């Protein structure tokens, strides 16, 4: 099969391997089906990634003969009972959407996934830390969580948790925020809040995966790029898991993968830079 683009083609996306070699959806799908956990790193406002997430969920469900669990950064741990009630059909759309604090782009971008789960009867797990705790940490470091009641601690990664500030993603965040030493404590808190999200997602997706199942996790690309973020915490908890990753990037041209995107993930989904955004 040839991957050359004809002059009159206008592809909406292209797929590449980590090394920058063009590949097909079918080849990627077959390889992803061999993993224990697949991380799909999206750009939250990209319609092509959301469409491809739905296709991937359908196709992996078929290949794994129903042994699939969906993990979503977009729902927080304290609303998990509602997610369960919705996917089993106990809660209707209106009640679910009023109570579960869905993201503003839920209706277009994530609802089709939950509807698929409801229809095909597979489990969906919200993996993220309730955002109020992340913002407490961003203001006052991880020590802000120590006083939480036990019930609320059940919604976050087990404490005490350590943060490796040398992880490439966290070092990059420190660089992005820059600044002097006086500013450093504030930046460290922001990185700790990011680490709290990563560690919490790793903890709950690891718990949610029954033996022999594939867990397909959707998250912002930054949480899984360079096999970092969530994956760094997951490796500590369960080093035997086979994980594969996808990262979504945009480029002006789709002919070849730009150098800066190589090795970002096992598969890189390239979207045209001028693609319509959902918000």
């Amino acid at each position: 099969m040839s991957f050359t683009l004809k002059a009159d083609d206008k592809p909406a996306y292209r797929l590449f391997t980590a090394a920058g070699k063009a590949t097909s959806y079918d080849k990627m799908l077959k390889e992803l089906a061999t993993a224990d956990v697949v991380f799909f790193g999206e750009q939250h406002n990209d319609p092509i990634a959301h469409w491809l997430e739905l296709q991937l969920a359908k196709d992996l469900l078929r290949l794994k003969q129903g042994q699939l669990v969906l993990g979503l950064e977009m729902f927080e741990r304290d609303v998990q009972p509602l997610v369960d009630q919705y996917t089993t059909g106990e809660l209707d759309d209106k009640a679910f959407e009023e109570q579960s604090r869905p993201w503003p782009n839920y209706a277009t971008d994530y609802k089709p996934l939950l509807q698929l789960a409801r229809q095909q009867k597979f489990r969906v797990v919200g993996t993220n830390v309730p955002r109020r705790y992340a913002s407490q940490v961003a203001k006052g470091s991880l020590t802000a969580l120590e006083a939480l009641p036990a019930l609320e601690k059940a919604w976050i990664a087990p404490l005490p948790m350590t943060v490796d500030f040398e992880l490439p993603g966290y070092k990059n965040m420190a660089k992005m925020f820059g600044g002097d030493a006086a500013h450093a404590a504030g930046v460290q808190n922001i990185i700790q809040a990011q680490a709290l999200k990563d560690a919490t997602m790793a903890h709950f997706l690891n718990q949610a995966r029954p033996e022999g199942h594939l867990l397909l996790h959707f998250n912002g690309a930054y949480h899984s790029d360079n096999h970092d973020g969530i994956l760094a915490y997951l490796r500590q908890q369960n080093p035997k898991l086979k994980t594969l990753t996808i990262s979504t990037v945009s480029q002006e041209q789709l002919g070849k993968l730009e150098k800066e995107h190589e090795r970002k993930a096992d598969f890189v989904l390239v979207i045209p830079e001028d693609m319509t955004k959902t918000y």
Side-chain angles (χ1 to χ4, degrees):
M1 182 177 174
S2 150
F3 293 107
T4 50
L5 287 181
K6 296 192 196 76
D8 57 355
D9 273 349
K10 282 277 186 196
Y13 76 89
R14 293 197 79 201
L15 290 164
F16 294 89
T17 64
K21 190 171 176 287
T23 190
S24 67
Y25 175 81
D26 208 43
K27 273 187 174 167
M28 177 179 82
L29 176 66
K30 287 195 174 90
E31 193 167 335
L32 295 179
T34 68
D36 298 316
V37 183
V38 170
F39 290 91
F40 194 129
E42 62 171 44
Q43 302 301 330
H44 298 315
N45 60 357
D46 179 72
I48 298 295
H50 291 125
W51 173 77
L52 214 58
E53 285 169 352
L54 184 63
Q55 306 314 309
L56 204 52
K58 288 177 181 173
D59 290 335
L60 286 172
L61 189 69
R62 179 175 48 81
L63 288 182
K64 296 294 292 182
Q65 296 172 315
Q67 292 195 313
L68 181 79
V69 179
L70 216 53
L72 296 174
E73 175 196 2
M74 299 79 203
F75 287 97
E76 296 161 25
R77 285 307 303 160
D78 56 338
V79 301
Q80 185 61 43
L82 300 172
V83 175
D84 290 335
Q85 285 162 19
Y86 179 74
T87 51
T88 54
E90 288 167 62
L91 263 192
D92 65 13
D93 286 324
K94 189 172 180 292
F96 176 67
E97 287 164 37
E98 278 169 1
Q99 299 171 57
S100 62
R101 305 193 302 274
W103 285 16
N105 57 326
Y106 168 75
T108 51
D109 299 347
Y110 307 112
K111 187 174 182 172
L113 292 165
L114 270 80
Q115 287 176 320
L116 179 69
R118 187 174 175 139
Q119 188 199 340
Q120 300 290 335
K121 302 191 174 14
F122 60 89
R123 183 133 197 258
V124 177
V125 180
T127 55
N128 211 351
V129 70
R131 66 195 73 162
R132 56 190 178 273
Y133 304 131
S135 55
Q136 281 171 26
V137 171
K139 290 188 196 101
S141 87
L142 283 165
T143 54
L145 303 177
E146 286 163 13
L148 288 180
L151 171 74
E152 295 181 42
K153 281 183 176 163
W155 299 326
I156 59 181
L159 298 171
M161 58 168 275
T162 50
V163 179
D164 180 359
F165 290 99
E166 291 306 301
L167 283 174
Y170 299 159
K171 276 174 91 161
N172 193 41
M173 281 177 77
K175 239 198 319 238
M176 282 192 311
F177 289 107
D180 51 29
H183 183 61
V187 172
Q188 285 218 332
N189 289 350
I190 291 167
I191 294 169
Q192 285 182 33
Q194 178 83 356
L196 175 67
K197 292 177 185 178
D198 289 336
T200 299
M201 288 192 266
H203 176 70
F204 288 107
L205 72 84
N206 185 41
Q207 269 194 356
R209 182 191 158 267
E211 195 56 47
H213 282 56
L214 190 156
L215 192 137
L216 175 60
H217 194 267
F218 297 135
N219 50 265
Y222 203 86
H223 287 290
S224 54
D225 278 355
N226 307 306
H227 295 85
D228 198 356
I230 306 171
L231 283 93
Y233 284 97
L234 189 59
R235 279 193 295 273
Q236 288 172 24
Q237 292 168 36
N238 199 340
K240 290 195 178 78
L241 285 178
K242 178 178 178 181
T243 58
L244 288 171
T245 58
I246 301 168
S247 182
T248 309
V249 303
S250 60
Q251 293 184 176
E252 210 171 301
Q253 54 78 32
L254 302 195
K256 69 188 221 311
L257 187 64
E258 285 164 16
K259 211 82 193 131
E260 62 177 302
H261 300 312
E262 282 180 16
R263 311 274 162 218
K264 215 169 233 187
D266 296 298
F267 295 96
V268 184
L269 166 63
V270 182
I271 310 289
E273 221 149 68
D274 60 357
M275 175 58 67
T276 318
K277 301 287 184 274
T278 54
Y279 61 89

